[in-house]
Amino acid sequence: MLLYEMTLSKLHDELTSGRISAMELLDGVLKRIASTDSKLKAYLRLTEEEALKAAKAADARLLAKEGINPLLGIPFAIKDNMCTEGISTTCASKILDGYVPAYSASVAQRLFNFGAVMVGKANMDEFAMGSSTENSAYQITANPWDLSRVPGGSSGGSAAAVAAGQAIFALGSDTGGSIRQPAALCGVVGMKPTYGLVSRYGLIAFASSLDQIGPIAKSVTDAALILNAICGHDPMDSTSLKVGTSDFTQGLEAGVKGLKVGVPKELMGEGIDDGVKAKVEEAIKIFEGLGASVKEASLPHSEYALSAYYLIAPAEASSNLARFDGVRYGHRTKEDVEDMVDMYSKTRAEGFGAEVKRRIMLGTYALSAGYYDAYYGQAQKVRTLIMDDFKKAFSEHDVLISPTTPTSAFKGGEKTKDPLSMYMSDICTIPTNLAGIPAISVPCGLSEGLPVGLQIMGKALDEPTILRAAYAFEKEFNFSERPKL
Amino acid sequence: MSIDKREVEHVALLARLALSEAEKESFTKQLSQILDHAGKIAELKTDDVEPTSHPLPLKNVLRADEIKPSFTVEEALSSAPSKENNMIKVPNII
């Protein structure tokens, strides 16, 4: 097996036993990038120089047996909406062209401290708005399983890189499904932790009450190991939860015998592709075979989740993106301007792409006088109803399972002209963001040669249970197909 | 709920976005379509429902008022598109 195909856990054994060095591993991954990224375009920029330094430092730590941890010497990709000191960070937007942060996001800093090796910044939908990575201002990423299809979004670069062996793991961010949806479409594991479990300091905000950073990995164990490294309280983020650190790999093998699994009927009905539904039904049988009790569940307000989300997320985005005004950093218009308002308006018109403008407009409208109560206010009330649905469902079930996405990877360009149909891609993932609860997507097979994701949702801070369920499924199902690139 | 071009122009001004004529046209159409769909939430009776703005029960988060190192002027200005004498330069305001 080639190095870049191995899981993080396996590579850790290889590194600590001395069978390979961090430099050899990095070399394997960089060669893989060199031979595939002209087709895939998963990376916006590589950080080879920094990676070589980090790999050398990791080898020194391995040799001295100091600071050994599962992430030491492991090459990873990071979505380009997380700040990295001294390294250009653009959010795949022209408005941040050339922006070089003076600090690193807490998650990035933690991974650097663990000795993980950043190989590059992954492509994404501009400001994390989109479900196909076609909204990047710089390049379009392809799905490694079929280059004519999208990798999902907005963490499409991160998911494609992991699926193709261009990184051993990656970090993504999930506002309405942006980790789980691309993980599902690329056949890898993606996890959105409980809101507040992972610090958002240094993540360029899209919708602050929904955004959460999480791992994209090749296995459930790997996702747990990455979560171990990035979770925990951060005084730099006022929404960071004060919960102690845990070892999320503990208890993975406990199995699902007696686990109460609910299948929300609203997420298995209309709009879910037959091929996807068939795979999820097979997964349900596997859970039953392992001794879990599976019953129908209900999230009665799910049909309103998409509407609430597309008012709340743009409302928050329109406010967060007000900071991009061409004054302190990023792009500023070169045209003659009459006054400051003119400068802001021209700068923003030149810097933002179509989807970002659309959402800023939508959010500004939803928050404007006369419409606030009917749109934003009502959406916030619907959010309460959705949270209550989950509370009720979790009083009867330990976890909920559903498809991660209504379809497998769609063709590039297929939905770009119709924003509403693109928004539907996140219909199964959005409710959990509104409720702030954790969810994971694991591969559950192929439909017409394309990966299908199974979503497992849990109560707030009940990551151990969803990881345990995902691990039991992964072990039994043993998804071993890989994209042929 | 539909939105007309005049409203699109007003919202664009509020959002500080100089839109082209073509953008105004397409946003008028697309925003109406999205708002139509989003307007579905009006069907729900929510008189007794409290709004949720955030999934966490957030209270004030305070820290000790201590002096800590911060960015130097050079660092703070390192990404500014236009600067002069340790200040950010902008067009005339008055």
Side-chain angles (χ1 to χ4, degrees):
Chain A
M1 198 183 214
L2 293 157
L3 290 179
Y4 63 77
E5 290 177 338
M6 293 182 187
T7 60
L8 193 161
S9 355
K10 177 84 178 92
L11 286 165
H12 177 63
D13 291 345
E14 297 291 308
L15 286 166
T16 47
S17 66
R19 283 193 290 276
I20 60 162
S21 69
M23 287 293 259
E24 282 169 312
L25 173 55
L26 173 64
D27 187 55
V29 169
L30 289 176
K31 283 198 173 120
R32 178 67 174 166
I33 296 171
S35 68
T36 52
D37 210 44
S38 58
K39 289 183 275 187
L40 218 52
K41 296 192 166 60
Y43 284 99
L44 282 173
R45 69 200 70 85
L46 293 175
T47 50
E48 267 183 75
E49 214 174 292
E50 291 83 358
L52 286 168
K53 264 189 224 157
K56 209 169 162 192
D59 277 334
R61 275 164 79 166
L62 284 159
L63 193 67
K65 297 198 184 329
E66 272 172 20
I68 306 283
N69 71 80
L71 300 191
L72 181 61
I74 306 289
F76 72 98
I78 189 163
K79 188 174 179 178
D80 202 36
N81 58 353
M82 296 173 217
C83 289
T84 42
E85 185 182 345
I87 296 160
S88 169
T89 300
T90 65
C91 255
S93 180
K94 279 192 196 154
I95 210 156
L96 275 173
D97 197 13
Y99 169 59
V100 179
Y103 70 108
S104 286
S106 293
V107 283
Q109 194 55 54
R110 284 188 195 204
L111 295 180
F112 297 153
N113 296 346
F114 278 106
V117 177
M118 177 174 76
V119 288
K121 305 295 292 278
N123 195 26
M124 55 185 282
D125 283 301
E126 184 178 0
F127 283 103
M129 296 176 188
S131 308
S132 67
T133 315
E134 291 167 296
N135 292 331
S136 166
Y138 299 101
Q139 63 192 27
I140 292 176
T141 300
N143 188 311
W145 293 81
D146 175 349
L147 298 174
S148 71
R149 290 177 190 269
V150 304
S154 63
S155 312
S158 296
V162 174
Q166 295 184 339
I168 306 306
F169 74 92
L171 291 186
S173 68
D174 192 313
T175 306
S178 283
I179 290 174
R180 291 159 287 156
Q181 188 257 15
L185 269 42
C186 290
V188 291
V189 175
M191 183 175 186
K192 180 198 99 72
T194 302
Y195 181 83
L197 187 68
V198 175
S199 167
R200 290 181 296 111
Y201 176 71
L203 170 72
I204 298 172
F206 161 14
S208 310
S209 82
L210 304 159
D211 298 341
Q212 185 59 193
I213 296 170
I216 295 178
K218 291 177 183 168
S219 74
V220 175
T221 307
D222 286 7
L225 288 167
I226 300 154
L227 190 59
N228 283 351
I230 60 173
C231 78
H233 179 250
D234 179 10
M236 300 300 279
D237 172 1
S238 64
T239 61
S240 169
L241 289 170
K242 279 192 176 149
V243 288
T245 49
S246 317
D247 180 356
F248 292 102
T249 61
Q250 292 289 313
L252 281 183
E253 310 216 18
V256 293
K257 205 168 166 35
L259 192 79
K260 288 180 276 180
V261 176
V263 184
K265 60 180 180 199
E266 296 83 1
L267 303 183
M268 279 293 268
E270 208 187 325
I272 309 294
D273 177 80
D274 289 343
V276 169
K277 202 187 279 179
K279 289 291 146 192
V280 174
E281 277 161 0
E282 283 171 33
I284 290 170
K285 292 213 169 62
I286 288 176
F287 275 103
E288 284 173 332
L290 291 168
S293 77
V294 184
K295 287 203 176 108
E296 188 180 85
S298 179
L299 299 169
H301 295 95
S302 318
E303 63 171 310
Y304 300 99
L306 193 74
S307 299
Y309 176 85
Y310 277 101
L311 293 167
I312 290 170
E316 293 186 17
S318 69
S319 162
N320 276 325
L321 269 54
R323 75 188 59 159
F324 301 100
D325 55 10
V327 174
R328 289 147 300 150
Y329 42 73
H331 172 76
R332 181 188 291 189
T333 185
K334 304 258 182 316
E335 279 189 45
D336 289 336
V337 293
E338 287 167 24
D339 53 22
M340 289 293 279
V341 171
D342 195 30
M343 188 198 85
Y344 297 148
S345 303
K346 284 181 176 150
T347 294
R348 288 160 63 79
E350 291 168 11
F352 292 133
E355 182 60 32
V356 175
K357 286 181 190 171
R358 187 152 47 232
R359 297 209 199 182
I360 290 175
M361 291 289 291
L362 191 56
T364 306
Y365 181 76
L367 291 176
S368 64
Y371 299 106
Y372 182 96
D373 289 337
Y375 288 112
Y376 184 65
Q378 178 73 351
Q380 285 187 316
K381 290 179 170 187
V382 175
R383 188 172 188 177
T384 307
L385 296 173
I386 286 163
M387 291 177 87
D388 290 346
D389 283 356
F390 275 114
K391 270 184 211 144
K392 189 158 180 291
F394 286 124
S395 69
E396 293 163 27
H397 311 278
D398 298 313
V399 296
L400 299 174
I401 64 174
S402 77
T404 307
T405 56
T407 67
S408 54
F410 45 92
K411 292 261 186 195
E414 193 180 310
K415 300 187 180 186
T416 40
K417 290 272 184 304
D418 180 3
L420 206 51
S421 90
M422 183 75 89
Y423 296 171
M424 296 286 181
S425 307
D426 293 337
I427 204 155
C428 299
T429 48
I430 277 173
T432 65
N433 295 79
L434 291 168
I437 61 172
I440 191 168
S441 176
V442 284
C444 67
L446 298 178
S447 168
E448 292 172 14
L450 296 167
V452 175
L454 175 76
Q455 177 174 235
I456 307 174
M457 301 167 264
K459 284 188 274 275
L461 294 175
D462 200 16
E463 273 79 1
T465 307
I466 61 169
L467 284 164
R468 170 159 67 98
Y471 181 83
F473 174 76
E474 177 186 73
K475 205 168 149 197
E476 184 69 17
F477 183 68
N478 194 20
F479 179 73
S480 56
E481 277 97 339
R482 291 286 170 265
K484 289 173 192 67
L485 258 179
Chain B
M1 185 79 194
S2 66
I3 174 167
D4 60 29
K5 193 174 150 198
R6 210 170 41 86
E7 279 179 299
V8 166
E9 285 170 346
H10 175 65
V11 174
L13 176 71
L14 294 176
R16 303 287 187 260
L17 277 174
L19 297 184
S20 67
E21 279 306 311
E23 283 175 320
K24 285 179 198 168
E25 295 294 333
S26 71
F27 283 151
T28 305
K29 220 171 99 199
Q30 289 170 345
L31 294 180
S32 292
Q33 200 193 356
I34 297 164
L35 288 166
D36 256 354
H37 189 273
K40 196 178 151 63
I41 58 170
E43 292 169 7
L44 287 167
K45 258 189 81 67
T46 53
D47 299 344
D48 306 329
V49 181
E50 287 292 314
T52 298
S53 57
H54 209 271
L56 300 177
L58 278 180
K59 296 197 182 77
N60 285 338
V61 178
L62 305 172
R63 63 162 172 79
D65 186 16
E66 291 162 349
I67 297 172
K68 286 185 180 168
S70 64
F71 291 139
T72 62
V73 173
E74 289 74 27
E75 282 168 335
L77 293 180
S78 62
S79 280
S82 179
K83 55 197 160 189
E84 201 175 296
N85 301 331
N86 279 348
M87 285 179 280
I88 290 167
K89 205 171 157 186
V90 293
N92 278 343
I93 293 173
I94 303 167

